[in-house]
Amino acid sequence: MLPPNLAELSYVIYGVGMLLGWWFNRGRVFFVVTVLALSQCGLSGLATSAAGMPAVTTAVFPVISTLLPINIFIFSQLKERGIFTAWGLGRFAVIAFQLMYIAIATITNDNTLLSFFEKTVSGESLPMDTAMPQSAIAAYSIVFLLFALKQWKAKSYLNNAFIVVLASSAVGLYLKAESLALPVFFGVAGVILIIAVIQDSYAMAYLDELTGVPARRALKEDLMKLRGEYAIAMVDIDFFKKFNDTYGHDVGDDVLRLVASVLRQVTGGGKAFRYGGEEFTIVFPHSSIEEAMPHLEKIRELVEKTPYAYFGKKGKAKRKSAKKLFVTISIGVAERSEKHSQPEAVVKAADTALYRAKKKGRNCVSK
């Protein structure tokens, strides 16, 4: 059985979510959590009871249930420009305006202000028995499709979290007649946002922002864990500066992403990292050079055969069909030995081997 003080616990969750949102400068999370907390407060009757009007909770339900998904979407899409800044104050003003609208509508009992949110989108009855107005169901449906489209184009921890928050809040509203539905499902939404802030902060610290592969900080920590036999490879994109100068830095960034996506597919237990610039590192724990070589050759060939679709420079007439561009990589690999007993020494040895690969004519693996 759920504890009776669950409602109070949900507000603690909101407080933690807002605190983390402020601490990690995640304004989107801060304002979505704020909207969730205010919605629960209004729908649970706390605000109306404090104002001496407990009977108006039913009247505000269509308003809040329709505005909530719209607010979740709007605040989740805004750029991170701070919370207690001019931009942040503007967002507080948006929330305050909605609170004033609801307050005026309920205090004056103005049907023209309330009935707008009770309009039926379709003249036909809904196939399921629900207390949610059709305007709210329509708002949730549209926002869900917008979130799905955005996540399909560019996946992120926060986008995933907002989709779950949307679904959880919808379930809470649908089951509002159950006394603990709002604190349970809105509270779950708050927990999801807290987890998303932690995941997003981890990604910023340990994942390369451009390519999405683990960054140099993650590499340093993984190197500290290495024991026994292991091999490390240094990878460099051939003639990358010339490629950048010819096609532009935007295309260069796309090529870095392309190469990173291929390196992620390395087999043999290898793990790819962004070392810096056009250089990557692949670590093979518990593997010798001889064991790692076939996997490095395989990934080198895969990069060589993977094309980049080039449609021309921005600002110029676009090509009717894409031009296929290809890049190659040079790889140097070294293993732990008596001479190179520390990971840092193995990395330097691999870098020296990479220089030999370039001297050999590039697009090869050297040890």
Side-chain angles (χ1 to χ4, degrees):
M1 185 174 179
L2 293 173
N5 60 345
L6 197 61
E8 289 79 2
L9 177 60
S10 64
Y11 288 107
V12 173
I13 292 173
Y14 302 143
V16 173
M18 292 169 68
L19 181 62
L20 288 177
W22 167 74
W23 185 262
F24 290 104
N25 194 33
R26 295 293 181 274
R28 292 182 293 170
V29 169
F30 179 92
F31 286 106
V32 170
V33 171
T34 300
V35 169
L36 285 171
L38 291 172
S39 297
Q40 180 178 324
C41 183
L43 293 174
S44 62
L46 290 178
T48 53
S49 295
M53 296 181 300
V56 301
T57 303
T58 304
V60 301
F61 177 71
V63 183
I64 294 177
S65 60
T66 302
L67 290 177
L68 180 57
I70 297 172
N71 276 268
I72 291 174
F73 181 76
I74 290 175
F75 285 119
S76 68
Q77 303 308 304
L78 296 176
K79 293 181 179 180
E80 300 290 4
R81 291 178 172 173
I83 297 170
F84 300 104
T85 62
W87 294 100
L89 292 177
R91 294 166 192 182
F92 277 116
V94 171
I95 295 175
F97 173 80
Q98 294 176 78
L99 291 176
M100 288 178 61
Y101 181 95
I102 295 172
I104 293 171
T106 52
I107 291 173
T108 61
N109 196 23
D110 190 338
N111 288 330
T112 58
L113 296 176
L114 296 174
S115 61
F116 173 81
F117 297 93
E118 297 177 349
K119 290 182 178 179
T120 56
V121 179
S122 171
E124 300 178 1
S125 59
L126 294 174
M128 59 181 177
D129 182 22
T130 172
M132 291 177 65
Q134 288 193 24
S135 58
I137 296 173
Y140 266 101
S141 301
I142 293 171
V143 170
F144 181 82
L145 290 175
L146 291 173
F147 269 129
L149 180 62
K150 184 175 177 63
Q151 185 67 355
W152 178 70
K153 289 183 176 179
K155 295 181 179 180
S156 75
Y157 292 118
L158 283 180
N159 280 343
N160 272 333
F162 289 130
I163 292 175
V164 177
V165 167
L166 192 72
S168 186
S169 65
V171 174
L173 292 171
Y174 178 72
L175 300 175
K176 181 184 174 294
E178 302 294 330
S179 59
L180 293 177
L182 288 178
V184 168
F185 289 99
F186 279 36
V188 167
V191 171
I192 293 298
L193 288 173
I194 290 173
I195 294 173
V197 169
I198 296 172
Q199 287 181 320
D200 197 52
S201 299
Y202 172 86
M204 286 190 66
Y206 289 95
L207 299 182
D208 178 60
E209 185 178 4
L210 177 65
T211 62
V213 299
R216 194 163 178 172
R217 181 173 179 176
L219 171 63
K220 288 182 179 179
E221 293 195 4
D222 272 35
L223 291 179
M224 293 171 63
K225 301 173 187 176
L226 293 175
R227 293 290 184 274
E229 188 178 49
Y230 57 85
I232 299 175
M234 294 298 293
V235 181
D236 186 82
I237 302 176
D238 296 328
F239 302 110
F240 185 71
K241 185 180 183 302
K242 182 179 179 181
F243 189 92
N244 249 349
D245 292 342
T246 302
Y247 297 104
H249 291 286
D250 288 340
V251 176
D253 287 347
D254 287 341
V255 169
L256 284 170
R257 295 187 191 97
L258 178 68
V259 172
S261 68
V262 176
L263 294 182
R264 278 200 201 97
Q265 303 173 42
V266 65
T267 53
K271 184 177 180 181
F273 300 82
R274 173 88 183 274
Y275 191 79
E278 65 269 26
E279 283 190 311
F280 296 85
T281 304
I282 302 177
V283 178
F284 292 89
H286 318 299
S287 296
S288 65
I289 281 185
E290 298 306 321
E291 291 170 330
M293 283 292 285
H295 304 289
L296 292 172
E297 284 287 358
K298 181 180 176 182
I299 207 70
R300 180 195 63 78
E301 292 176 2
L302 187 56
V303 170
E304 183 182 24
K305 295 175 182 178
T306 303
Y308 169 76
Y310 177 65
F311 290 92
K313 291 184 178 180
K314 291 182 178 180
K316 294 186 177 181
K318 290 186 177 180
R319 300 174 185 270
K320 291 183 179 180
S321 59
K323 175 184 178 182
K324 291 184 178 180
L325 302 178
F326 294 87
V327 295
T328 60
I329 57 174
S330 297
I331 304 175
V333 59
E335 65 182 356
R336 182 180 182 272
S337 62
E338 291 185 4
K339 183 178 180 181
H340 307 116
S341 59
Q342 297 300 316
E344 293 76 12
V346 180
V347 170
K348 289 182 179 178
D351 205 41
T352 302
L354 174 61
Y355 179 76
R356 289 196 293 270
K358 289 185 174 293
K359 292 286 285 184
K360 287 180 182 180
R362 294 178 168 81
N363 192 24
C364 63
V365 182
S366 180
K367 59 182 179 178

